[in-house]
Amino acid sequence: MSRKYHVAIVGATGAVGVEMIKTLEKRNFPVSKLTLLASARSAGKQLPFRGEPVTIQELREDSFAGVDIALFSAGGSISKKFAPHAVQAGAVVVDNSSVFRMDENVPLVVPEINGEDIRRHRGIIANPNCTTAITLMALNPLHQAFGVKRLFAATYQAVSGTGAQAIEELRAQVGDIVAERTPQAKVYPHQIAFNVLPHVDSFLDTGYTKEEMKMQNEGRRILHLPDFKASVTCVRVPVYRAHSVAVNAEFEKPVSVEAARAVLSKAPGIKLVDDPAHNQYPLPLNCAGQDDCQVGRIRLDCALENGLAFWVAGDQLLKGAALNAVQIAELI
Ligand SMILES: NC(=O)c1ccc[n+]([C@@H]2O[C@H](COP(=O)([O-])OP(=O)(O)OC[C@H]3O[C@@H](n4cnc5c(N)ncnc54)[C@H](OP(=O)(O)O)[C@@H]3O)[C@@H](O)[C@H]2O)c1
C-alpha cells in the first residue's frame, strides 16, 4: 500500500490556506489526516475537506505531533516562531512567507525550475514570492534557450495577494462608490477601487520596495544565476485574483519571436496565449482558478539588444502559493 501523510496547514482560514485545502483535494494528495491550524479567533470553526468537516485548532507549539508535512501560510512572524517547532516534531515545513527565502540552508523552489534543490533541505523548504514565481515560469524556459542577463518589469498585482481582508476592502469600496458613499481605506494607504497604487510592501532606502527586490534576490537563487539583475516596479490593481507582469528581458544569445513561442509552447505549467489579431492574450480573469500561468504579447524588444517583451499572468494564490507548495510536498 502506498504511504499516506499527516498534513498540517498553518493559516488554514486565510486566502492561501483555503486554496491549499482545495489543492490537496484536487491533486488527490495522499493525506491520512489533515490538521487545520489558525489563530484563536478561528478555533472551533470548521472547513470541509473531501466532503467532511475538519475542525480548526488554535496554533500552538505542540500542534505538530505526528505531522509529516506542515504547509505554513500565516505570515512571517508565525513561520519564524512555529516552523522550528514543526521541524523539531519531525515534520518537513513548506513555508509561504518570506522569512526563510534568502537562508542558504533553506531551498527556495519552483518545482518546474529547480525541483532538484529540495534534496538539500534541512526541514524547511521555502515557497517563492508569488510575482517572482509567475514571472519565472515564463522566463526560465526562455533563459534555458537564450541565457537571460537582466530584466525590467512592471507588475499588476491582485488584492488577494494581500490576503482575505484586502479582497473584502475592494468589495466594500466598490459598493460604497456605487452607492455614492465615501470609501474607507484600511488595508492599503489609499483607495484601491478604481485606482492603481505603485506601492507593494514596504519601501527600502534605495527607493525600491521589498517586493520589487524579490524578483532579483529570489530569481538569483531559483535560476542559480548569481549575476541576474531585475529592476521592477510593483503595482497593486483593483483585480480580485491573479497577478500580471509586463516583462522586458535581455538575453545573451540572439532571440526571435518564433523561437520564443516554440520554447514557451512546450514549457510545463505555462500556456501560450498569443494571438493579438484575435484579441487573445493572457488576462487575470482567465487565469483565476487555473493552475497554469499564461504568456503572450511576445515581441522583439525595440530598446534592448537580444531583448524580448512579453506579458505573463497567473493565479498567485495557486502557482504563487498553494499549488507551488503542494507540488513541493509531492516532491518531498
Ligand atoms: N495571498 C497571496 O497571494 C500569497 C502568495 C504567496 C505567499 N503568501 C503568504 O502567505 C501567508 C498568508 O497569506 P494570506 O494572503 O493567506 O493571508 P490572510 O488571508 O490574511 O490569512 C492569514 C492566515 O494566518 C492566520 N493567522 C493570523 N494570525 C495568526 C496567529 N497568531 N496564529 C495562527 N494563525 C494566525 C489567520 O487565521 P485567522 O483566520 O484565525 O485570523 C489566517 O488563516 C503570508 O505569509 C503571505 O505573505 C500569500
Side-chain angles (χ1 to χ4, degrees), residues 109-167:
V109 174
V110 177
E112 291 87 347
I113 302 175
N114 64 332
E116 281 291 308
D117 285 0
I118 76 153
R119 292 181 193 280
R120 298 190 293 103
H121 85 79
R122 300 183 187 179
I124 303 176
I125 299 160
N127 220 33
N129 164 256
C130 46
T131 315
T132 303
I134 289 164
T135 306
L136 295 189
M137 286 298 289
L139 185 69
N140 182 58
L142 297 171
H143 164 56
Q144 295 304 322
F146 311 118
V148 71
K149 275 164 71 175
R150 58 180 183 157
L151 168 154
F152 303 89
T155 72
Y156 301 68
Q157 299 186 218
V159 293
S160 53
T162 315
Q165 285 179 329
I167 303 172

Coordinates of all heavy atoms in Angstrom, one line a residue, residues 109-167:
V109 N 12.1 27.0 -3.9 CA 11.9 26.1 -5.0 C 10.6 26.4 -5.8 O 9.5 26.7 -5.3 CB 11.8 24.6 -4.4 CG1 11.3 23.7 -5.5 CG2 13.1 24.2 -3.8
V110 N 10.8 26.4 -7.1 CA 9.7 26.3 -8.1 C 9.9 24.9 -8.8 O 10.8 24.8 -9.5 CB 9.7 27.4 -9.1 CG1 8.5 27.2 -10.2 CG2 9.6 28.8 -8.5
P111 N 9.0 23.9 -8.5 CA 9.3 22.6 -9.0 C 9.7 22.5 -10.4 O 10.6 21.7 -10.8 CB 8.0 21.8 -8.6 CG 7.6 22.5 -7.4 CD 7.8 24.0 -7.6
E112 N 9.0 23.2 -11.3 CA 9.3 23.1 -12.7 C 10.7 23.7 -13.1 O 11.2 23.4 -14.2 CB 8.3 23.9 -13.6 CG 6.9 23.4 -13.6 CD 6.0 23.9 -12.4 OE1 6.6 24.4 -11.5 OE2 4.8 23.7 -12.5
I113 N 11.3 24.4 -12.2 CA 12.6 25.1 -12.5 C 13.7 24.4 -11.7 O 14.8 24.0 -12.3 CB 12.5 26.6 -12.1 CG1 11.4 27.3 -12.9 CG2 13.9 27.3 -12.4 CD1 11.2 28.7 -12.6
N114 N 13.6 24.3 -10.4 CA 14.8 23.9 -9.6 C 14.3 22.8 -8.5 O 14.7 22.9 -7.4 CB 15.5 25.0 -8.9 CG 14.6 25.8 -7.9 OD1 13.4 25.8 -8.1 ND2 15.3 26.4 -6.9
G115 N 13.4 21.9 -8.9 CA 12.9 20.9 -8.0 C 14.0 20.1 -7.3 O 13.8 19.7 -6.2
E116 N 15.1 19.9 -8.0 CA 16.2 19.2 -7.5 C 16.7 19.8 -6.2 O 17.3 19.1 -5.4 CB 17.4 19.1 -8.5 CG 17.2 18.2 -9.6 CD 17.3 16.7 -9.1 OE1 18.3 16.4 -8.5 OE2 16.3 15.9 -9.4
D117 N 16.6 21.1 -6.0 CA 17.1 21.8 -4.9 C 16.5 21.3 -3.6 O 17.1 21.4 -2.5 CB 16.9 23.3 -5.0 CG 17.9 23.9 -6.0 OD1 18.7 23.2 -6.6 OD2 17.8 25.2 -6.1
I118 N 15.3 20.7 -3.6 CA 14.7 20.2 -2.3 C 15.6 19.2 -1.6 O 15.5 19.0 -0.4 CB 13.3 19.8 -2.4 CG1 13.1 18.4 -3.0 CG2 12.4 20.8 -3.1 CD1 11.8 17.7 -2.5
R119 N 16.4 18.5 -2.4 CA 17.3 17.4 -1.8 C 18.2 18.0 -0.7 O 18.6 17.3 0.2 CB 18.2 16.8 -2.8 CG 17.4 16.0 -3.8 CD 18.4 15.3 -4.8 NE 17.6 14.8 -6.0 CZ 17.0 13.6 -5.9 NH1 17.0 12.9 -4.9 NH2 16.3 13.2 -7.0
R120 N 18.5 19.3 -0.7 CA 19.4 19.9 0.3 C 18.6 20.4 1.5 O 19.2 21.0 2.4 CB 20.0 21.2 -0.3 CG 20.9 20.9 -1.6 CD 21.7 22.2 -1.9 NE 20.8 23.3 -2.3 CZ 20.5 24.3 -1.6 NH1 20.9 24.4 -0.4 NH2 19.7 25.3 -2.1
H121 N 17.3 20.1 1.6 CA 16.6 20.7 2.7 C 17.0 20.1 4.1 O 17.4 19.0 4.2 CB 15.1 20.6 2.5 CG 14.5 19.3 3.0 ND1 14.2 19.1 4.3 CD2 14.1 18.2 2.3 CE1 13.6 17.9 4.4 NE2 13.6 17.3 3.2
R122 N 16.9 21.0 5.1 CA 17.1 20.5 6.5 C 15.9 20.7 7.3 O 16.0 21.1 8.5 CB 18.3 21.4 7.1 CG 19.6 21.3 6.3 CD 20.6 22.1 7.0 NE 21.8 22.1 6.2 CZ 22.9 22.8 6.6 NH1 22.9 23.5 7.7 NH2 24.0 22.8 5.8
G123 N 14.7 20.5 6.7 CA 13.5 20.5 7.5 C 12.6 21.6 7.0 O 11.4 21.5 7.1
I124 N 13.1 22.7 6.3 CA 12.3 23.8 5.8 C 12.6 24.0 4.3 O 13.8 24.0 3.9 CB 12.5 25.1 6.6 CG1 12.3 24.9 8.1 CG2 11.6 26.2 6.0 CD1 12.6 26.1 8.9
I125 N 11.5 24.1 3.5 CA 11.7 24.5 2.1 C 10.8 25.7 1.9 O 9.7 25.8 2.4 CB 11.1 23.4 1.2 CG1 12.0 22.1 1.4 CG2 11.2 23.8 -0.3 CD1 11.3 20.8 1.0
A126 N 11.4 26.7 1.2 CA 10.6 28.0 1.1 C 9.9 28.0 -0.3 O 10.5 27.6 -1.3 CB 11.5 29.2 1.2
N127 N 8.7 28.6 -0.3 CA 7.9 28.9 -1.5 C 8.3 30.3 -1.9 O 8.3 31.2 -1.1 CB 6.5 28.8 -1.1 CG 5.6 28.2 -2.1 OD1 6.0 27.3 -2.8 ND2 4.4 28.6 -2.2
P128 N 8.6 30.6 -3.2 CA 9.0 31.9 -3.6 C 7.9 32.9 -3.5 O 6.7 32.6 -3.4 CB 9.4 31.8 -5.0 CG 9.5 30.3 -5.3 CD 8.6 29.6 -4.3
N129 N 8.2 34.2 -3.6 CA 7.3 35.3 -3.8 C 6.4 35.0 -5.0 O 6.9 34.5 -6.0 CB 8.1 36.6 -4.0 CG 7.3 37.7 -4.5 OD1 7.4 38.0 -5.7 ND2 6.5 38.3 -3.7
C130 N 5.1 35.4 -4.9 CA 4.2 35.0 -5.9 C 4.5 35.6 -7.3 O 4.4 34.9 -8.3 CB 2.8 35.4 -5.4 SG 2.6 37.0 -4.7
T131 N 4.8 36.9 -7.3 CA 5.1 37.6 -8.6 C 6.4 37.0 -9.2 O 6.4 36.8 -10.4 CB 5.3 39.1 -8.4 OG1 4.3 39.5 -7.5 CG2 5.2 39.8 -9.7
T132 N 7.3 36.7 -8.4 CA 8.6 36.1 -8.9 C 8.3 34.7 -9.5 O 8.8 34.4 -10.6 CB 9.6 36.0 -7.7 OG1 9.8 37.2 -7.1 CG2 10.9 35.4 -8.2
A133 N 7.5 33.9 -8.8 CA 7.2 32.5 -9.3 C 6.5 32.6 -10.6 O 6.9 31.9 -11.6 CB 6.4 31.8 -8.3
I134 N 5.5 33.5 -10.8 CA 4.8 33.6 -12.0 C 5.7 34.1 -13.1 O 5.7 33.5 -14.3 CB 3.5 34.5 -11.8 CG1 2.5 33.8 -10.9 CG2 2.9 34.9 -13.1 CD1 1.4 34.6 -10.3
T135 N 6.5 35.1 -12.9 CA 7.4 35.6 -13.9 C 8.4 34.6 -14.3 O 8.6 34.4 -15.5 CB 8.1 36.9 -13.4 OG1 7.1 37.8 -12.9 CG2 9.0 37.5 -14.4
L136 N 9.0 33.9 -13.4 CA 10.0 32.9 -13.7 C 9.4 31.7 -14.5 O 10.2 31.0 -15.2 CB 10.7 32.4 -12.5 CG 11.5 33.4 -11.7 CD1 12.4 32.8 -10.6 CD2 12.4 34.2 -12.6
M137 N 8.1 31.4 -14.3 CA 7.5 30.3 -15.1 C 7.7 30.6 -16.6 O 7.9 29.7 -17.4 CB 6.0 30.1 -14.7 CG 5.8 29.5 -13.4 SD 6.5 27.8 -13.3 CE 5.3 27.0 -14.3
A138 N 7.6 31.9 -17.0 CA 7.8 32.2 -18.4 C 9.3 32.5 -18.7 O 9.7 32.1 -19.8 CB 6.9 33.4 -18.8
L139 N 10.0 33.1 -17.8 CA 11.3 33.5 -18.0 C 12.3 32.3 -18.1 O 13.2 32.3 -19.0 CB 11.8 34.5 -16.9 CG 13.2 35.0 -17.2 CD1 13.2 36.0 -18.4 CD2 13.7 35.8 -16.0
N140 N 12.1 31.3 -17.2 CA 13.1 30.2 -17.2 C 13.2 29.4 -18.5 O 14.3 29.2 -19.0 CB 12.8 29.2 -16.0 CG 13.8 28.1 -16.0 OD1 15.0 28.4 -15.9 ND2 13.4 26.9 -16.1
P141 N 12.1 29.0 -19.2 CA 12.2 28.4 -20.5 C 13.0 29.2 -21.5 O 13.8 28.7 -22.2 CB 10.8 28.1 -20.9 CG 10.0 28.2 -19.7 CD 10.7 29.1 -18.8
L142 N 12.8 30.5 -21.5 CA 13.5 31.4 -22.4 C 15.0 31.5 -21.9 O 15.9 31.6 -22.8 CB 12.9 32.8 -22.3 CG 11.4 32.9 -22.8 CD1 10.8 34.3 -22.6 CD2 11.3 32.6 -24.3
H143 N 15.2 31.5 -20.6 CA 16.6 31.5 -20.1 C 17.3 30.3 -20.6 O 18.5 30.4 -21.0 CB 16.5 31.7 -18.6 CG 17.8 31.3 -17.9 ND1 19.0 32.0 -18.3 CD2 18.2 30.4 -17.0 CE1 20.0 31.5 -17.5 NE2 19.5 30.5 -16.8
Q144 N 16.6 29.1 -20.5 CA 17.3 27.9 -20.9 C 17.7 28.0 -22.4 O 18.7 27.4 -22.8 CB 16.4 26.7 -20.7 CG 16.0 26.4 -19.2 CD 17.2 26.2 -18.4 OE1 18.2 25.6 -18.8 NE2 17.2 26.7 -17.1
A145 N 16.9 28.6 -23.2 CA 17.2 28.7 -24.6 C 18.2 29.8 -25.0 O 19.0 29.6 -25.8 CB 15.9 28.9 -25.4
F146 N 18.1 31.0 -24.3 CA 18.8 32.1 -24.8 C 19.8 32.7 -23.7 O 20.5 33.6 -24.0 CB 17.8 33.3 -25.2 CG 16.8 32.8 -26.2 CD1 15.4 32.9 -25.8 CD2 17.1 32.3 -27.4 CE1 14.4 32.5 -26.7 CE2 16.1 31.8 -28.3 CZ 14.8 31.9 -27.9
G147 N 19.7 32.3 -22.5 CA 20.5 32.8 -21.4 C 20.2 34.2 -21.0 O 20.6 35.2 -21.6
V148 N 19.4 34.4 -19.9 CA 18.9 35.7 -19.5 C 20.0 36.5 -18.8 O 20.9 36.0 -18.1 CB 17.7 35.7 -18.6 CG1 18.0 35.1 -17.2 CG2 17.0 37.0 -18.5
K149 N 20.1 37.8 -19.1 CA 21.1 38.7 -18.5 C 20.4 39.6 -17.5 O 20.8 39.7 -16.3 CB 21.7 39.6 -19.5 CG 22.9 39.0 -20.2 CD 23.3 39.7 -21.5 CE 23.9 41.0 -21.3 NZ 24.4 41.6 -22.6
R150 N 19.3 40.2 -17.9 CA 18.7 41.2 -17.0 C 17.2 41.4 -17.4 O 16.8 41.0 -18.6 CB 19.4 42.5 -16.9 CG 19.5 43.2 -18.3 CD 20.2 44.5 -18.1 NE 20.3 45.1 -19.5 CZ 20.4 46.4 -19.7 NH1 20.6 47.2 -18.6 NH2 20.5 46.9 -20.9
L151 N 16.5 41.9 -16.5 CA 15.0 42.1 -16.8 C 14.5 43.4 -16.2 O 14.9 43.8 -15.1 CB 14.4 40.8 -16.1 CG 12.9 40.7 -15.8 CD1 12.6 39.2 -15.7 CD2 12.5 41.4 -14.5
F152 N 13.6 44.0 -16.9 CA 12.8 45.1 -16.4 C 11.4 44.7 -16.4 O 10.9 44.0 -17.3 CB 13.0 46.3 -17.3 CG 14.4 46.7 -17.5 CD1 15.2 46.2 -18.5 CD2 15.0 47.6 -16.7 CE1 16.5 46.5 -18.7 CE2 16.4 48.0 -16.8 CZ 17.1 47.4 -17.8
A153 N 10.6 45.1 -15.3 CA 9.2 44.6 -15.3 C 8.4 45.6 -14.5 O 8.9 46.3 -13.6 CB 9.1 43.2 -14.6
A154 N 7.1 45.6 -14.9 CA 6.1 46.3 -14.1 C 5.0 45.3 -13.8 O 4.6 44.5 -14.7 CB 5.5 47.5 -14.8
T155 N 4.6 45.2 -12.5 CA 3.6 44.2 -12.1 C 2.2 44.8 -11.9 O 2.1 46.0 -11.7 CB 4.0 43.5 -10.8 OG1 3.8 44.5 -9.7 CG2 5.4 43.1 -10.8
Y156 N 1.2 44.0 -12.1 CA -0.2 44.4 -11.9 C -0.8 43.4 -10.9 O -1.2 42.3 -11.3 CB -1.0 44.4 -13.2 CG -0.4 45.3 -14.3 CD1 0.9 45.0 -14.8 CD2 -1.0 46.4 -14.7 CE1 1.5 45.9 -15.8 CE2 -0.5 47.3 -15.7 CZ 0.8 47.0 -16.2 OH 1.3 47.9 -17.1
Q157 N -0.7 43.7 -9.6 CA -0.9 42.6 -8.6 C -2.3 42.7 -8.0 O -2.8 43.8 -7.6 CB 0.2 42.7 -7.5 CG 1.5 42.5 -8.1 CD 2.7 42.4 -7.1 OE1 3.7 42.9 -7.3 NE2 2.4 41.8 -5.9
A158 N -3.0 41.6 -7.9 CA -4.4 41.5 -7.4 C -4.4 41.7 -5.9 O -3.4 41.4 -5.2 CB -4.9 40.1 -7.8
V159 N -5.6 42.1 -5.4 CA -5.7 42.4 -4.0 C -5.6 41.1 -3.1 O -5.2 41.2 -2.0 CB -7.0 43.2 -3.7 CG1 -7.0 44.6 -4.2 CG2 -8.2 42.4 -4.1
S160 N -6.0 40.0 -3.7 CA -5.9 38.8 -2.9 C -4.5 38.4 -2.5 O -4.3 37.6 -1.6 CB -6.6 37.6 -3.6 OG -6.1 37.4 -4.9
G161 N -3.5 39.0 -3.2 CA -2.1 38.9 -2.8 C -1.8 39.4 -1.4 O -0.9 39.0 -0.8
T162 N -2.7 40.3 -1.0 CA -2.5 40.9 0.4 C -3.3 40.1 1.4 O -3.0 40.2 2.6 CB -3.0 42.4 0.4 OG1 -2.5 43.0 -0.7 CG2 -2.6 43.1 1.6
G163 N -4.2 39.2 1.0 CA -4.9 38.4 1.9 C -6.4 38.7 1.9 O -6.9 39.5 1.2
A164 N -7.1 37.9 2.8 CA -8.6 37.9 2.8 C -9.2 39.3 3.1 O -10.2 39.7 2.5 CB -9.1 36.9 3.8
Q165 N -8.5 40.1 3.9 CA -9.0 41.4 4.3 C -9.0 42.4 3.1 O -9.9 43.2 3.0 CB -8.2 42.0 5.4 CG -8.5 41.3 6.8 CD -7.6 42.0 7.8 OE1 -6.5 42.4 7.6 NE2 -8.1 42.0 9.1
A166 N -8.0 42.2 2.3 CA -7.9 43.1 1.1 C -9.0 42.8 0.1 O -9.5 43.8 -0.6 CB -6.5 43.0 0.5
I167 N -9.4 41.6 -0.1 CA -10.4 41.2 -1.0 C -11.7 41.9 -0.5 O -12.4 42.5 -1.3 CB -10.7 39.7 -1.0 CG1 -9.4 39.0 -1.4 CG2 -11.8 39.3 -2.0 CD1 -9.4 37.4 -1.3

